[in-house]
Amino acid sequence: MTECIKAEVVLQANNVQLTYDRPILRDINFCIKNIIRPGVEQGQVVSLIGRSGIGKTQLFKILSGLQAPTAGQITIHDNKPVKAGDMGVIFQNYYLFEWRTVYQSLLLAAKKNKKLAGKEKQTIDQYAEQFQLTGHLNLYPQQLSGGQRQRVSIMQQLLKGSDFILLDEPFSGLDVCMLDKAVELLLQVSLSDELKTLIIVSHDIENSVAISDTVYILGNEPGKEGATIKKEIDLIERDLAWQKNIKHEKRFLETIEEIKGCL
Ligand SMILES: Nc1ncnc2c1ncn2[C@@H]1O[C@H](COP(=O)(O)OP(=O)(O)OP(=O)(O)O)[C@@H](O)[C@H]1O
């Protein structure tokens, strides 16, 4: 097993409940901690997996501070209740300002980050190179492919400097080649030493497991209305975290089957 210590708590879900005309989410409790490995300090990559209609989008909105739960709360850092704007949110359709060039959008994001004052352009150029977008900075979003839009969205959130990046279905709509690239890119973001915590909400079990260190399964329990965290899988313990080309390993395939059995 990869040696590591789970250190300070960065996000906590405390008894989150959401009810409309019926309970949608109930008793949601989990805690995300930073991880320290020898020579590396990094955020966690957590996936929330569940079948269609179970309540993933609702939980995504609550986590991002865009929707208040009926009861309970999400707190970040020193027990501060999360509010809209605390998290870098990447929606499924990679929403971008269509009337601005990629560079103009990125500059706007960089200017929101005080740590980048005076080095905005230089940082954009560095990320653009890393994310293979150098030749696309002067294009408009409609001139980009789905994968390129996704990379611009991720760059935007990284430039803003949010500690948390919340991604809604980051693998949907990408072709097989782009899927592998997206997995690689998110792994790269999580391993950068900027201590980002990535939270991925998805029904794509295979790709979520491939980049996460922890998986939470959202599902129903017999006789109880409303979805809750049915199971937590620690992928570090199973030696499945932070590994490239893991998808054909027996223990990876067994974990996928186990998750499918829980949904
Ligand atoms: N405004 C609302 N009023 C009442 N019920 C709602 C409202 N919004 C969502 N729901 C219900 O909450 C449940 C969970 O919806 P949610 O969109 O979170 O599912 P999901 O897991 O994201 O599904 P999918 O993977 O298909 O997108 C659904 O049964 C849905 O009908």
Side-chain angles (χ1 to χ4, degrees), residues 111-123:
K111 289 207 159 146
K112 289 188 180 152
N113 186 347
K114 291 193 187 90
K115 286 191 205 147
L116 294 184
K119 343 177 248 201
E120 293 93 345
K121 187 175 177 329
Q122 179 195 341
T123 313

Side-chain angles (χ1 to χ4, degrees), residues 20-22 24 51-58 169 203:
Y20 288 124
D21 48 342
R22 62 184 176 86
I24 304 290
R51 63 177 165 73
S52 176
I54 199 72
K56 299 184 297 296
T57 304
Q58 304 304 309
E169 298 289 359
H203 59 249

Side-chain angles (χ1 to χ4, degrees), residues 16-26 28 53-59 62 67 70 218-220 225-228:
V16 168
Q17 327 275 339
L18 180 70
T19 304
Y20 288 124
D21 48 342
R22 62 184 176 86
I24 304 290
L25 301 171
R26 66 167 181 84
I28 303 276
I54 199 72
K56 299 184 297 296
T57 304
Q58 304 304 309
L59 187 52
I62 293 172
Q67 175 167 340
T70 312
L218 195 62
N220 291 119
E225 248 202 307
T228 194

